[in-house]
Amino acid sequence: MFAAENGLKGDPRLQAISDAIRVVPHFPKQGIMFQDITTLLLDHKAFKDTVDIFVDRYRDMDISVVAGVEARGFMFGPSIALAIGAKFVPLRKPKKLPGEVIAEAYELEYGSDCLEMHVGAVKQGERAIVIDDLVATGGTLSAAIRLLERVGAHVVECACVIGLREAKGQCRLNGKPLYILVEPREVDGCY
Amino acid sequence: MSAYRDKDPRIDGIQSKIRVVPNFPKPGIRFQDITTLLLDPKAFKDTVDLFVERYKGKNISVVAGIEARGFIFGPPIALEIGAKFVPLRKPKKLPGKVISEEYVLEYGRDCLEMHVGAVEPGERALVVDDLIATGGTLCAAMKLLERVGAEVVECACVIELPDLKGRECLNGKPLYVLVESH
């Protein structure tokens, strides 16, 4: 569900967040309009508003785990975790985490990749959210949800700054709700 | 300088949460794992607070974080002190125009990149990473910032491995760390 349709209709912060995101055409390959959040991170107010919107949503939901997907999920997740008193759990590409891990494979456009989580980081029954900068097909987020559920956690919601059109129709991933702040922009005049 | 020596009461709690994983990524290396620190909300908050207390009000407008564990500590610090966060990334990750700085690894080389236009001349910057070992990566980070005319005020890391003498690599730039590991 989009924030604007879920309690934040007309909230000026959302427009400013959207405006702060830069579109880079044809990255990483022809035809892809890459949604670059690094420009959002350069705008202190817009970055703070982004975090605050997620914090306001999750602070009273008894969330004890914020799981962030490498690497851009790391830029948003920890600040949210700190503000709501939850732990931050990084979900990483293979061979990055030093301890014992569990792994979950997921499909890419060509081939597959893998997401890992430390054994013992999350306990059975904990309430978790998954955070990433953007959701496209939902493949990575689905793998993240499966990792958390495998250790008995309850994934309350997935949260992304940007949600691509494919995500709009299916508001749920593996039956889990999806909360998105803004839609991607098609073109960016100033790049 | 290190908070370890100043013995802030929060330091012991932070140090106790860092897990040492032997023989990772290869035999003989004792890997300092900060993920266990992130599992303790109080210790993680104390970590960020110690940096924020040091840098707030010092006119720092840029916090540059080194991929990927610098992305975990840098943004909360940036948000609290009113600075922008600038990710310094491995090659081909940043989508826009970049400048690159090469650095030497034990075997071979690697490269750190920063978006052109992210940092303006004259800005005061911090570089943040979870750990300083030989200092090679931090040094490359500093060079990127200095190349665009920023002033690197300090490098800030949670952990230092002093035996690897990374401090000497920093060309006289100050280094602030919370804990040391031998």
Coordinates of all heavy atoms in Angstrom, one line a residue, chain A residues 22 24 27 34 36 38 41-44 47-48 51 70-72 74-75 78-79 81-82 85-90 92 95-100 118 120-121 191, chain B residues 19 21 24 31 33 35 38-41 44-45 48 67-69 71-72 75-76 78-80 82-87 89 92-97 115 117-118:
Chain A
R22 N 16.8 10.9 -7.6 CA 17.3 11.2 -8.9 C 17.1 10.0 -9.8 O 17.3 8.8 -9.4 CB 18.8 11.5 -8.9 CG 19.5 11.6 -10.2 CD 20.9 12.1 -10.1 NE 21.8 11.2 -9.5 CZ 23.2 11.3 -9.6 NH1 23.7 12.3 -10.3 NH2 24.0 10.4 -9.0
V24 N 18.3 7.9 -13.0 CA 19.5 7.8 -13.9 C 19.1 6.8 -15.0 O 18.9 5.6 -14.8 CB 20.7 7.2 -13.1 CG1 21.9 7.1 -14.1 CG2 21.0 8.1 -12.0
F27 N 20.7 2.7 -16.5 CA 21.6 2.1 -15.5 C 20.9 1.0 -14.8 O 19.7 1.2 -14.3 CB 22.2 3.1 -14.5 CG 23.1 2.5 -13.5 CD1 24.5 2.5 -13.8 CD2 22.7 2.0 -12.3 CE1 25.4 1.9 -12.9 CE2 23.6 1.4 -11.4 CZ 24.9 1.4 -11.7
F34 N 16.9 4.0 -13.5 CA 17.4 3.7 -12.1 C 17.0 4.8 -11.2 O 17.2 5.9 -11.4 CB 18.9 3.5 -12.1 CG 19.4 2.9 -10.8 CD1 19.5 1.6 -10.7 CD2 19.8 3.8 -9.8 CE1 20.0 1.0 -9.5 CE2 20.3 3.3 -8.6 CZ 20.4 1.9 -8.5
D36 N 17.7 6.6 -8.1 CA 18.9 6.8 -7.3 C 18.6 7.5 -6.0 O 18.3 8.7 -5.9 CB 19.9 7.6 -8.1 CG 21.2 7.9 -7.3 OD1 21.5 7.2 -6.3 OD2 21.9 8.8 -7.8
T38 N 20.7 8.1 -3.5 CA 21.8 8.8 -2.9 C 21.5 10.3 -2.8 O 22.0 11.0 -1.9 CB 23.1 8.5 -3.7 OG1 23.1 9.1 -4.9 CG2 23.4 7.0 -3.8
L41 N 19.7 11.1 0.3 CA 20.6 11.1 1.5 C 21.3 12.4 1.6 O 21.9 12.7 2.7 CB 21.6 9.9 1.4 CG 21.0 8.5 1.1 CD1 22.1 7.5 1.0 CD2 20.0 8.1 2.2
L42 N 21.4 13.2 0.5 CA 22.1 14.4 0.5 C 21.2 15.6 1.1 O 21.7 16.6 1.4 CB 22.6 14.8 -0.9 CG 23.6 13.9 -1.6 CD1 24.0 14.4 -2.9 CD2 24.9 13.7 -0.7
D43 N 19.9 15.3 1.1 CA 19.0 16.3 1.5 C 18.5 15.9 3.0 O 17.7 15.1 3.2 CB 17.8 16.2 0.6 CG 16.7 17.2 0.9 OD1 16.5 17.6 2.1 OD2 15.9 17.6 0.0
H44 N 19.2 16.6 3.9 CA 19.0 16.1 5.3 C 17.5 16.1 5.8 O 17.1 15.1 6.4 CB 19.8 17.0 6.3 CG 19.6 16.7 7.7 ND1 18.7 17.3 8.6 CD2 20.2 15.7 8.4 CE1 18.8 16.7 9.7 NE2 19.6 15.7 9.7
F47 N 15.7 13.2 4.0 CA 16.2 11.9 4.5 C 15.6 11.7 5.9 O 15.0 10.6 6.2 CB 17.7 11.9 4.6 CG 18.4 10.6 5.0 CD1 17.7 9.4 5.0 CD2 19.7 10.6 5.4 CE1 18.3 8.2 5.4 CE2 20.3 9.4 5.8 CZ 19.6 8.3 5.8
K48 N 15.6 12.7 6.7 CA 15.0 12.6 8.1 C 13.5 12.4 8.0 O 13.0 11.5 8.8 CB 15.3 13.9 8.9 CG 14.8 13.9 10.3 CD 15.3 15.1 11.1 CE 15.0 14.9 12.6 NZ 13.6 14.5 12.9
V51 N 12.9 8.7 7.2 CA 13.0 7.8 8.4 C 11.9 8.1 9.4 O 11.3 7.1 9.9 CB 14.4 8.1 9.1 CG1 14.5 7.4 10.5 CG2 15.5 7.6 8.2
E70 N 21.0 -5.8 2.1 CA 22.2 -5.2 1.6 C 22.1 -4.6 0.2 O 21.4 -5.3 -0.6 CB 23.3 -6.3 1.6 CG 24.5 -5.9 0.8 CD 25.7 -6.8 1.1 OE1 25.6 -7.9 1.6 OE2 26.9 -6.3 0.9
A71 N 22.6 -3.5 0.0 CA 23.3 -2.6 0.8 C 22.5 -1.3 1.1 O 22.7 -0.7 2.1 CB 24.6 -2.1 0.1
R72 N 21.5 -1.0 0.2 CA 20.8 0.2 0.4 C 19.8 0.2 1.6 O 19.4 1.2 2.2 CB 20.2 0.7 -0.9 CG 21.2 1.2 -1.9 CD 20.6 1.8 -3.1 NE 20.1 0.7 -4.0 CZ 20.7 0.1 -5.0 NH1 22.0 0.5 -5.3 NH2 20.1 -0.8 -5.7
F74 N 20.7 -0.9 4.3 CA 21.5 -0.6 5.5 C 21.4 0.9 5.7 O 21.8 1.4 6.8 CB 23.0 -0.9 5.2 CG 23.3 -2.4 5.2 CD1 22.3 -3.4 5.3 CD2 24.6 -2.8 5.1 CE1 22.6 -4.7 5.2 CE2 24.9 -4.2 5.0 CZ 23.9 -5.1 5.1
M75 N 21.1 1.7 4.7 CA 21.1 3.2 4.8 C 19.9 3.7 5.5 O 19.9 4.8 6.1 CB 21.3 3.8 3.4 CG 22.5 3.4 2.7 SD 22.6 4.2 1.1 CE 23.9 3.2 0.3
P78 N 19.0 0.9 10.0 CA 19.5 1.2 11.3 C 18.9 2.4 12.0 O 18.5 2.3 13.2 CB 21.0 1.4 11.1 CG 21.3 0.5 9.9 CD 20.0 0.7 9.0
S79 N 18.6 3.5 11.3 CA 18.0 4.7 12.0 C 16.6 4.4 12.4 O 16.2 4.8 13.5 CB 18.0 5.8 11.0 OG 19.3 6.2 10.5
A81 N 15.5 1.3 13.3 CA 15.7 0.4 14.4 C 16.0 1.2 15.7 O 15.4 0.9 16.7 CB 16.8 -0.6 14.1
L82 N 17.0 2.1 15.6 CA 17.4 2.9 16.8 C 16.2 3.7 17.3 O 16.0 3.7 18.6 CB 18.5 3.8 16.4 CG 19.9 3.2 16.2 CD1 20.8 4.1 15.5 CD2 20.5 2.7 17.5
G85 N 13.6 1.3 19.0 CA 14.2 0.4 20.1 C 14.3 -1.1 19.6 O 14.2 -2.0 20.5
A86 N 14.4 -1.3 18.3 CA 14.5 -2.7 17.8 C 16.0 -3.0 17.5 O 16.8 -2.1 17.4 CB 13.7 -2.8 16.5
K87 N 16.3 -4.3 17.3 CA 17.6 -4.6 16.8 C 17.7 -4.5 15.3 O 16.6 -4.5 14.6 CB 18.0 -6.0 17.2 CG 17.0 -7.1 17.0 CD 17.5 -8.5 17.4 CE 16.6 -9.3 18.2 NZ 17.0 -10.6 18.5
F88 N 18.9 -4.3 14.8 CA 19.0 -4.2 13.3 C 19.7 -5.5 12.9 O 20.8 -5.9 13.4 CB 19.8 -3.0 12.8 CG 20.0 -3.0 11.4 CD1 18.9 -2.7 10.5 CD2 21.2 -3.3 10.8 CE1 19.1 -2.8 9.1 CE2 21.4 -3.3 9.4 CZ 20.3 -3.0 8.6
V89 N 19.1 -6.1 11.9 CA 19.7 -7.4 11.4 C 20.0 -7.2 9.9 O 19.1 -7.0 9.1 CB 18.7 -8.6 11.5 CG1 19.2 -9.8 10.9 CG2 18.4 -8.8 13.0
P90 N 21.3 -7.3 9.5 CA 21.7 -7.1 8.1 C 21.5 -8.4 7.3 O 21.9 -9.5 7.8 CB 23.1 -6.7 8.1 CG 23.7 -7.3 9.4 CD 22.5 -7.3 10.4
R92 N 22.5 -10.2 4.0 CA 23.7 -10.0 3.1 C 23.8 -10.9 2.0 O 23.3 -12.1 2.0 CB 24.9 -9.9 4.0 CG 24.9 -8.8 5.0 CD 26.3 -8.4 5.3 NE 26.9 -7.6 4.2 CZ 28.1 -7.0 4.2 NH1 28.8 -7.0 5.3 NH2 28.5 -6.4 3.2
K95 N 28.7 -15.0 1.8 CA 30.1 -15.0 2.2 C 30.5 -13.6 2.9 O 31.7 -13.4 3.1 CB 31.1 -15.3 1.1 CG 30.9 -16.7 0.5 CD 32.1 -16.9 -0.5 CE 32.3 -18.3 -1.0 NZ 31.2 -19.0 -1.5
K96 N 29.6 -12.8 3.2 CA 29.9 -11.5 3.8 C 29.8 -11.7 5.3 O 30.6 -11.1 6.1 CB 29.0 -10.4 3.4 CG 29.0 -10.1 1.9 CD 30.3 -9.5 1.4 CE 30.3 -9.1 0.0 NZ 29.4 -7.9 -0.2
L97 N 28.8 -12.4 5.8 CA 28.6 -12.5 7.2 C 29.5 -13.6 7.8 O 29.7 -14.7 7.2 CB 27.1 -12.9 7.5 CG 26.1 -11.9 7.2 CD1 24.7 -12.5 7.3 CD2 26.2 -10.7 8.2
P98 N 30.2 -13.3 8.9 CA 31.3 -14.1 9.3 C 30.9 -15.4 10.1 O 31.7 -16.3 10.2 CB 32.2 -13.2 10.2 CG 31.2 -12.2 10.8 CD 30.2 -12.0 9.7
G99 N 29.7 -15.3 10.7 CA 29.3 -16.4 11.6 C 28.5 -17.4 10.8 O 28.4 -17.4 9.6
E100 N 27.9 -18.4 11.6 CA 27.0 -19.4 10.9 C 25.8 -18.7 10.4 O 25.2 -17.8 11.1 CB 26.6 -20.4 12.0 CG 26.2 -21.7 11.4 CD 25.5 -22.6 12.4 OE1 25.6 -22.4 13.6 OE2 24.7 -23.5 11.9
H118 N 22.5 -14.2 9.8 CA 23.2 -14.9 10.9 C 22.2 -15.8 11.7 O 21.1 -15.4 12.1 CB 23.9 -14.0 11.9 CG 25.3 -13.6 11.6 ND1 25.8 -12.4 11.8 CD2 26.3 -14.4 11.0 CE1 27.1 -12.4 11.4 NE2 27.4 -13.6 10.9
G120 N 20.8 -17.2 14.9 CA 20.7 -16.7 16.3 C 20.4 -15.2 16.4 O 20.2 -14.6 17.4
A121 N 20.4 -14.5 15.2 CA 20.2 -13.1 15.3 C 18.7 -12.8 15.6 O 18.4 -11.8 16.3 CB 20.5 -12.4 13.9
Y191 N 19.4 15.6 -14.6 CA 20.6 14.8 -14.5 C 21.5 15.1 -15.7 O 21.2 14.9 -16.8 CB 20.3 13.3 -14.4 CG 21.6 12.5 -14.4 CD1 22.6 12.8 -13.5 CD2 21.9 11.6 -15.3 CE1 23.8 12.2 -13.5 CE2 23.1 10.9 -15.4 CZ 24.1 11.2 -14.4 OH 25.3 10.6 -14.4
Chain B
R19 N 31.5 -9.5 18.5 CA 31.9 -10.9 18.5 C 33.1 -11.1 17.7 O 33.2 -10.6 16.5 CB 30.7 -11.7 17.9 CG 31.0 -13.2 17.7 CD 29.8 -13.9 17.3 NE 29.3 -13.6 16.0 CZ 28.4 -14.4 15.3 NH1 28.0 -15.5 15.8 NH2 27.9 -14.0 14.1
V21 N 35.2 -13.6 15.4 CA 35.0 -14.9 14.7 C 36.4 -15.3 14.2 O 37.0 -14.7 13.3 CB 34.0 -14.7 13.5 CG1 33.8 -16.0 12.8 CG2 32.7 -14.2 14.0
F24 N 38.2 -16.1 9.9 CA 37.3 -15.5 8.9 C 37.9 -14.2 8.4 O 38.3 -13.4 9.3 CB 35.9 -15.3 9.4 CG 35.0 -14.7 8.3 CD1 34.2 -15.6 7.5 CD2 34.8 -13.4 8.1 CE1 33.4 -15.1 6.5 CE2 34.0 -12.9 7.1 CZ 33.3 -13.7 6.3
F31 N 38.2 -12.1 13.0 CA 37.2 -11.1 12.4 C 36.4 -10.4 13.5 O 35.8 -11.1 14.4 CB 36.3 -11.8 11.4 CG 35.5 -10.8 10.6 CD1 36.0 -10.3 9.4 CD2 34.3 -10.4 11.0 CE1 35.3 -9.4 8.7 CE2 33.5 -9.5 10.3 CZ 34.0 -9.0 9.1
D33 N 33.3 -8.9 14.5 CA 31.9 -8.9 14.0 C 31.0 -7.9 14.7 O 30.7 -8.2 15.9 CB 31.3 -10.3 14.1 CG 29.9 -10.4 13.6 OD1 29.5 -9.6 12.8 OD2 29.3 -11.4 13.9
T35 N 27.9 -7.2 13.9 CA 26.5 -7.5 13.8 C 25.9 -7.8 15.2 O 24.7 -7.6 15.4 CB 26.2 -8.7 12.8 OG1 26.7 -9.9 13.3 CG2 26.8 -8.4 11.5
L38 N 24.8 -4.7 16.8 CA 23.5 -4.2 16.3 C 22.3 -4.9 16.8 O 21.2 -4.4 16.7 CB 23.5 -4.3 14.7 CG 24.7 -3.8 14.0 CD1 24.6 -4.1 12.5 CD2 24.9 -2.3 14.2
L39 N 22.5 -6.0 17.5 CA 21.4 -6.8 18.0 C 21.0 -6.3 19.4 O 20.0 -6.7 20.0 CB 21.7 -8.3 18.2 CG 22.0 -9.0 16.9 CD1 22.4 -10.5 17.1 CD2 20.8 -8.9 15.9
D40 N 21.8 -5.4 20.0 CA 21.6 -4.8 21.3 C 21.2 -3.4 21.2 O 22.1 -2.5 21.0 CB 22.9 -5.0 22.2 CG 22.7 -4.5 23.6 OD1 21.9 -3.5 23.8 OD2 23.3 -5.1 24.5
P41 N 19.9 -3.0 21.2 CA 19.5 -1.7 20.9 C 20.2 -0.6 21.8 O 20.6 0.4 21.3 CB 18.0 -1.7 21.2 CG 17.6 -3.1 20.9 CD 18.8 -3.9 21.4
F44 N 24.0 -0.4 20.6 CA 24.0 0.2 19.3 C 23.8 1.7 19.5 O 24.5 2.6 18.9 CB 23.0 -0.4 18.4 CG 23.0 0.1 16.9 CD1 24.1 0.7 16.4 CD2 21.9 -0.2 16.1 CE1 24.1 1.2 15.1 CE2 21.9 0.3 14.8 CZ 23.0 0.9 14.3
K45 N 22.8 2.1 20.3 CA 22.4 3.5 20.5 C 23.6 4.2 21.1 O 24.0 5.3 20.8 CB 21.2 3.6 21.3 CG 20.7 5.1 21.5 CD 19.4 5.2 22.3 CE 18.9 6.6 22.3 NZ 19.9 7.6 22.8
V48 N 26.3 5.0 18.6 CA 26.0 6.2 17.7 C 26.0 7.5 18.6 O 26.6 8.5 18.1 CB 24.6 6.0 17.1 CG1 24.1 7.3 16.4 CG2 24.6 4.9 16.1
E67 N 31.3 1.5 2.2 CA 30.5 0.3 1.9 C 31.2 -0.9 2.6 O 32.4 -1.1 2.4 CB 30.4 0.0 0.4 CG 29.9 -1.3 0.0 CD 29.3 -1.4 -1.4 OE1 29.7 -0.5 -2.2 OE2 28.5 -2.2 -1.7
A68 N 30.4 -1.8 3.2 CA 29.0 -1.7 3.5 C 28.7 -1.4 4.9 O 27.6 -0.8 5.3 CB 28.2 -3.0 3.1
R69 N 29.6 -1.7 5.8 CA 29.3 -1.6 7.3 C 29.4 -0.1 7.7 O 28.7 0.3 8.7 CB 30.2 -2.4 8.1 CG 29.9 -3.9 8.0 CD 30.8 -4.8 8.8 NE 32.1 -4.9 8.3 CZ 32.6 -5.8 7.5 NH1 31.8 -6.8 7.1 NH2 33.8 -5.8 7.1
F71 N 27.8 2.0 6.1 CA 26.4 2.4 5.8 C 25.5 2.2 7.0 O 24.4 2.7 7.1 CB 25.8 1.6 4.6 CG 26.5 1.8 3.3 CD1 26.0 1.1 2.2 CD2 27.5 2.7 3.1 CE1 26.6 1.3 1.0 CE2 28.1 2.9 1.9 CZ 27.6 2.2 0.8
I72 N 25.9 1.4 7.9 CA 25.1 1.1 9.1 C 25.3 2.1 10.2 O 24.3 2.5 10.9 CB 25.5 -0.3 9.7 CG1 25.1 -1.4 8.6 CG2 24.8 -0.6 11.0 CD1 25.6 -2.8 9.0
P75 N 24.7 6.8 8.5 CA 23.5 7.5 8.4 C 22.9 8.0 9.7 O 22.4 9.1 9.8 CB 22.6 6.5 7.6 CG 23.5 5.8 6.7 CD 24.7 5.6 7.6
P76 N 22.8 7.1 10.7 CA 22.3 7.6 12.0 C 23.1 8.8 12.6 O 22.5 9.7 13.1 CB 22.4 6.4 13.0 CG 22.4 5.2 12.1 CD 23.1 5.6 10.8
A78 N 24.8 11.0 10.7 CA 24.5 12.1 9.8 C 23.2 12.8 10.2 O 23.1 14.0 10.3 CB 24.5 11.7 8.4
L79 N 22.2 11.9 10.4 CA 20.8 12.4 10.7 C 20.8 13.2 12.0 O 20.2 14.3 12.1 CB 19.8 11.3 10.7 CG 19.4 10.7 9.4 CD1 18.7 9.4 9.6 CD2 18.6 11.7 8.6
E80 N 21.5 12.7 13.0 CA 21.6 13.4 14.3 C 22.3 14.7 14.3 O 22.0 15.6 15.0 CB 22.2 12.5 15.4 CG 21.2 11.4 15.9 CD 20.1 12.0 16.7 OE1 20.3 12.9 17.5 OE2 18.9 11.7 16.4
G82 N 22.8 16.6 11.6 CA 22.3 17.6 10.6 C 23.2 17.6 9.3 O 23.1 18.5 8.6
A83 N 23.9 16.5 9.1 CA 24.7 16.4 7.9 C 24.1 15.5 6.8 O 23.2 14.8 7.1 CB 26.1 15.8 8.3
K84 N 24.6 15.6 5.6 CA 24.2 14.7 4.6 C 25.0 13.4 4.7 O 26.1 13.4 5.3 CB 24.4 15.3 3.2 CG 25.8 15.9 2.9 CD 25.8 16.5 1.4 CE 26.5 17.8 1.3 NZ 26.6 18.3 -0.1
F85 N 24.5 12.3 4.1 CA 25.2 11.1 4.1 C 25.7 10.8 2.7 O 24.8 10.8 1.8 CB 24.4 9.9 4.7 CG 25.2 8.6 4.6 CD1 26.2 8.4 5.5 CD2 24.9 7.6 3.7 CE1 27.0 7.2 5.4 CE2 25.6 6.5 3.6 CZ 26.6 6.3 4.5
V86 N 26.9 10.5 2.5 CA 27.5 10.2 1.2 C 28.1 8.7 1.2 O 29.0 8.5 1.9 CB 28.6 11.2 0.9 CG1 29.3 10.8 -0.5 CG2 28.1 12.6 0.8
P87 N 27.5 7.8 0.5 CA 28.0 6.5 0.4 C 29.3 6.4 -0.5 O 29.2 6.9 -1.6 CB 26.9 5.6 -0.1 CG 26.1 6.6 -0.9 CD 26.3 8.0 -0.3
R89 N 31.4 3.7 -2.4 CA 31.1 2.4 -2.8 C 32.1 1.7 -3.7 O 33.0 2.3 -4.3 CB 29.7 2.4 -3.6 CG 28.6 2.9 -2.8 CD 27.3 2.3 -3.2 NE 27.2 0.9 -2.9 CZ 26.1 0.1 -3.1 NH1 25.0 0.7 -3.5 NH2 26.2 -1.1 -2.8
K92 N 31.1 0.4 -9.9 CA 29.9 0.1 -10.6 C 28.7 0.0 -9.8 O 27.6 -0.5 -10.4 CB 30.1 -1.2 -11.4 CG 31.3 -1.2 -12.4 CD 31.2 -2.5 -13.2 CE 32.1 -2.6 -14.5 NZ 33.5 -2.2 -14.3
K93 N 28.7 0.4 -8.6 CA 27.4 0.4 -7.8 C 26.7 1.7 -7.9 O 25.4 1.7 -7.9 CB 27.7 0.1 -6.3 CG 28.5 -1.2 -6.1 CD 27.6 -2.4 -6.3 CE 28.3 -3.7 -5.9 NZ 28.3 -3.9 -4.5
L94 N 27.4 2.8 -7.9 CA 26.8 4.1 -8.0 C 26.4 4.4 -9.4 O 27.2 4.2 -10.3 CB 27.8 5.2 -7.5 CG 28.1 5.1 -6.0 CD1 29.3 6.1 -5.7 CD2 26.9 5.4 -5.1
P95 N 25.1 4.8 -9.6 CA 24.6 4.9 -11.0 C 25.0 6.2 -11.7 O 25.0 6.2 -13.0 CB 23.1 5.0 -10.7 CG 22.9 5.6 -9.4 CD 24.1 5.1 -8.6
G96 N 25.4 7.2 -11.0 CA 25.7 8.5 -11.7 C 27.2 8.6 -12.0 O 28.0 7.7 -11.9
K97 N 27.6 9.8 -12.4 CA 29.0 10.1 -12.7 C 29.8 10.0 -11.4 O 29.4 10.6 -10.4 CB 29.1 11.4 -13.3 CG 30.5 11.8 -13.9 CD 30.4 12.9 -14.9 CE 31.8 13.3 -15.3 NZ 32.1 14.7 -15.2
H115 N 30.0 9.8 -5.8 CA 29.3 10.5 -6.9 C 29.9 11.9 -7.0 O 30.1 12.6 -6.0 CB 27.8 10.6 -6.5 CG 26.9 9.6 -7.1 ND1 25.8 9.1 -6.4 CD2 27.0 8.9 -8.3 CE1 25.2 8.2 -7.2 NE2 25.9 8.0 -8.3
G117 N 29.6 15.7 -7.5 CA 28.5 16.6 -7.0 C 27.9 16.3 -5.7 O 27.2 17.2 -5.1
A118 N 28.3 15.2 -5.1 CA 27.7 14.9 -3.7 C 28.3 15.8 -2.7 O 27.6 16.2 -1.7 CB 28.0 13.4 -3.4

